[in-house]
Amino acid sequence: MSQLESEAMESEFGTVAGWTEEAVRALGPEYAVPAGCRGSGSEAALRWLADRMALTARSRVLDDGAGVGGPAGWLAAERGVRAVCAEPMPEGARAAHRLFGLPSVVAPAQHLPFAAASFDAAWCLGVLCTTSDKAGALAELHRVLRDGGRLGLLVFVADRPLPPPLPEGNEFPTEPELLDLLGAAGFRLAETATADLGDSAPEWSRRAGAVEDEIVRRHGDDPRWSEAQEQSGRVGRLLADGALRAWLGIAVEVARPA
Ligand SMILES: C[S@@+](CC[C@H](N)C(=O)[O-])C[C@H]1O[C@@H](n2cnc3c(N)ncnc32)[C@H](O)[C@@H]1O
């Protein structure tokens, strides 16, 4: 294990990210966004966030923990905003660059290679629950956002004790814990909502499914595929049970007193 907090997550966000890029190349570019949204597989959630991040075509935007770049690709296509992608898994960062032509760096959220106040806005989707150092990630987001910059978040929050089996390496905060972390990092919460991750258009779901089928055809007998499927299946079951909730939030960077 090298970058992430479990080997299962490395399969899910590393190996499968590379396989996703390969499958999209085989099927066509129109498959890239639906297949590339790995935590935020809902266009309505992306729209909700983007509508509230005060974006213009000239905004400097960071996608923190961008995965293979589906959400950033969506933002470029739908809003004409080209985000910079940061992602710790090289396979993901490479895919974001190759599939969407976006600038992409290999970096964990806790060590972003950007100067202070480099961005007007950022989003961080399905990432805080994959790292135990949430405070470190939020501190970095605070540092790289300008004063008053907006942060869009998708976080899977635990509404009650989670029944096993749990996805390996994930740490889901409760909503009060998340709000405390945001406040301590210097963010003011502006608005929240709950995402329905099952509300995508049929064509979006069909394309995401076709990419998955192509990965199975090529790599379905690789144990890392089963491992990754088990991980995402566990998150799916917790969401379906109502133990986890897909929390959306807009937070505003507040200048810290000197
Ligand atoms: C559920 S995926 C979401 C990917 C993407 N944001 C999306 O919505 O499609 C979680 C992502 O967080 C990344 N990740 C895990 N630990 C991280 C960390 N410490 N800093 C930044 N990203 C991290 C994973 O590599 C993975 O790409």
Side-chain angles (χ1 to χ4, degrees), residues 4 9 13 36-40 63-68 70-71 86-89 107-110 124-127 130-131 156:
L4 305 186
M9 284 207 296
F13 301 134
C37 290
R38 310 234 5 123
S40 47
D63 187 334
D64 195 15
V68 300
E87 159 62 39
M89 296 309 287
Q110 290 81 2
C124 183
L125 309 177
V127 176
T130 65
T131 177
F156 296 107

Side-chain angles (χ1 to χ4, degrees), residues 26 66 82 91 110 122 130 143 147 151 164 185 191 195 211 225 234-235 257:
R82 284 171 54 80
E91 297 93 330
Q110 290 81 2
T130 65
R143 184 182 68 77
D147 288 356
L151 170 62
E191 201 176 343
V211 170
W225 173 249
R234 288 180 184 185
V235 175

Side-chain angles (χ1 to χ4, degrees), residues 198-236:
D199 65 355
S200 296
E203 189 54 18
W204 174 295
S205 305
R206 188 193 69 74
R207 288 178 177 167
V211 170
E212 196 165 311
D213 292 347
E214 183 65 16
I215 296 175
V216 170
R217 199 178 67 73
R218 290 166 181 254
H219 303 286
D221 53 2
D222 189 311
R224 291 170 295 180
W225 173 249
S226 327
E227 191 176 31
Q229 285 298 93
E230 179 62 27
Q231 280 283 100
S232 56
R234 288 180 184 185
V235 175

